[in-house]
Amino acid sequence: MSISEKQAEFSVNTASVKGYPAPLHNADDTLLAELGYKAEFKREFSMIETIAFAFSIMGVVASVSSTFSFPLVSGGHVGMVWGWLIPCFFVMAVACSMAELVSSMPTSAGLYYFSAKLAPPKYSALASWITGWANIMGQVTLVCSIDFTCAQMITTAIAVSSDGATIMSSGATYGILLAILFTHGLVCSAATTVLARLNLFYVIINVGTTLAAIIALLVCSGDNKVSTKDAFTMFENNTGWSNNGWAFLLAFTAPMWTLTGYDSAAHISEEVAGAQRAAPIAILVGVFGTQVLGWLLFIACSFATASVTNLLTGALPLPMGQLFLDVLGKRGMLAIWSFIIVVQFVTGAAQGVDASRVVFAFARDNALPGSRWWKRMNRRTQTPVNAVWFVMAGAAVCGLLGFSAAALSSLAGASVIGLYVSYATPIFLRITSGRDKLVPGPFSLGRWYMPIGIIAVAWVLFIVVLLVFPPTQTTTAVGMNYAVVIIMGVFFFASISWVVSAHKWFHGPIKNIDDPRSSVEGKEL
């Protein structure tokens, strides 16, 4: 029986034992063995907890608060409402394509494994190498972006509580970042069962704070709300670009930064019971839920924003903080802002877990310098603790860019580009060389995989180009978008490594479990 036939058989077996934990785990681990890996994690994530993880990692209210300046600058009210909604349709195409791949091949290796299996044999290792490095770059920089923004939120709260008397310096903000990263390192090193239960708390605080923010903005803005017409149609171009259409497109940065990380359901799939069903459902529900709540929150913000200019010129580093201060007053702002800080903190924690699983998987296939260290599992927690601290150290280094406002802003764009390049690569291979290679899992797009995949890849190509443009038409060294520098630095390193040595020893994902047809470990998949 071929691997494809066996995988299909195991898919049926997995479905047939739904509701019976032990057999289900056995079916998951047997399928994982067919994919080439031994089970090293405990499968403690239920479907609900997996959905909670995928949703929490996008942290809707905190992410909107972090990126609120983009739509304000790029369209004002139109940027808020329509700048969020339009990208949602295209992101869902990416999510659907990814869900199909995860359902077929649920492994922590995720995206780079998909690329290896779907690429032509001659280019399988190279496709896996490129996808893996793009994903790791996006994962680590996203951890830094989330946690640095959390530090900025804390400094904003300090400024408001002291009535502007205490303004934290860049050095102090970086110190707060290091403290957050250290705390996240401790949290992410916990056992899988602890992480799974924590996500139930994450999703409750996330959804609850988002709904509270929506209600508070709409109710407390009172007669100061703008009209419905203005909330949905008033356009303001504060970018410096003369073309209003292009200025509006730059508002897409906010939803694209928020709607990242949903590949996390793939990266924890070796810790999920019934992963072939739970992981794709988590991706789709997480993305859709974030899109809906995010749009409602932006609509509420649009109604509550009496003056876009006042928010952009306010004293606080984050315009969303200024909006809450204007609408809710000092006490109300600090109350809701405290919960938003918690949401941002747990979003960073979830992202840290996701990134550590990517590092672990890539190291398991001997693709990272010092792989033997990063793929080690802690005996007590049965989690890759070394990989966790690799991520936190990398994020701390990236955080040094925070001493430059332009570089820090570029870091967010770099994380989105890195992640979406890693998302699009296996999807592109699926609709080209991999059309007949995929063995569908319980979730399949059927004949719709081709048009959906084409839309997904085309969207990513467009958004990558968009995100490397500077924020203004006439730019300087201070205001430049350095995302392309960060991206090219990583890809230059990966390319040189490949040409010089990696092509000799990296052959794509490798088996770490005995195959019933072969007793040789480390055999190329």
Side-chain angles (χ1 to χ4, degrees), residues 339-361:
F339 283 99
I340 292 175
I341 290 173
V342 174
V343 172
Q344 186 75 351
F345 182 85
V346 300
T347 298
Q351 178 58 36
V353 172
D354 182 19
S356 70
R357 294 336 186 233
V358 176
V359 170
F360 161 78

Side-chain angles (χ1 to χ4, degrees), residues 247-263:
F248 167 70
L249 293 179
L250 294 175
F252 292 176
T253 304
M256 294 309 299
W257 192 80
T258 303
L259 297 170
T260 53
Y262 47 87
D263 56 317

Side-chain angles (χ1 to χ4, degrees), residues 172-349:
T173 304
Y174 183 71
I176 296 173
L177 168 67
L178 294 181
I180 294 171
L181 288 171
F182 178 75
T183 307
H184 280 163
L186 297 178
V187 173
C188 297
S189 297
T192 298
T193 183
V194 175
L195 296 174
R197 304 305 175 265
L198 279 175
N199 277 282
L200 296 178
F201 164 73
Y202 292 174
V203 76
I204 291 172
I205 192 71
N206 199 335
V207 174
T209 303
T210 304
L211 293 177
I214 293 171
I215 294 171
L217 287 172
L218 292 176
V219 172
C220 296
S221 55
D223 295 334
N224 293 323
K225 285 194 292 288
V226 300
S227 66
T228 301
K229 179 181 179 181
D230 285 349
F232 284 87
T233 64
M234 181 180 289
F235 181 84
E236 296 182 42
N237 181 358
N238 297 294
T239 64
W241 285 93
S242 58
N243 187 297
N244 287 338
W246 179 257
F248 167 70
L249 293 179
L250 294 175
F252 292 176
T253 304
M256 294 309 299
W257 192 80
T258 303
L259 297 170
T260 53
Y262 47 87
D263 56 317
S264 58
H267 301 310
I268 65 163
S269 60
E270 293 181 28
E271 302 166 72
V272 175
Q276 282 191 296
R277 293 183 180 277
I281 290 175
I283 290 173
L284 298 177
V285 174
V287 169
F288 182 73
T290 300
Q291 290 177 340
V292 171
L293 283 178
W295 196 46
L296 294 176
L297 179 56
F298 265 118
I299 290 174
C301 289
S302 185
F303 273 106
T305 300
S307 172
V308 171
T309 302
N310 288 347
L311 294 184
L312 291 174
T313 57
L316 299 182
L318 295 174
M320 181 65 95
Q322 189 66 51
L323 177 62
F324 281 121
L325 182 61
D326 293 345
V327 174
L328 306 180
K330 179 180 175 180
R331 290 186 177 181
M333 180 272 179
L334 289 174
I336 193 70
W337 200 249
S338 298
F339 283 99
I340 292 175
I341 290 173
V342 174
V343 172
Q344 186 75 351
F345 182 85
V346 300
T347 298

Side-chain angles (χ1 to χ4, degrees), residues 73 118 149 159 181 190 254 258 268 384 399 431 481:
V73 171
L118 298 173
T149 305
L181 288 171
T258 303
I268 65 163
I431 62 177
N481 183 352

Side-chain angles (χ1 to χ4, degrees), residues 78-91:
V78 169
M80 286 184 248
V81 176
W82 305 109
W84 175 273
L85 181 64
I86 293 172
C88 287
F89 297 101
F90 299 100
V91 170

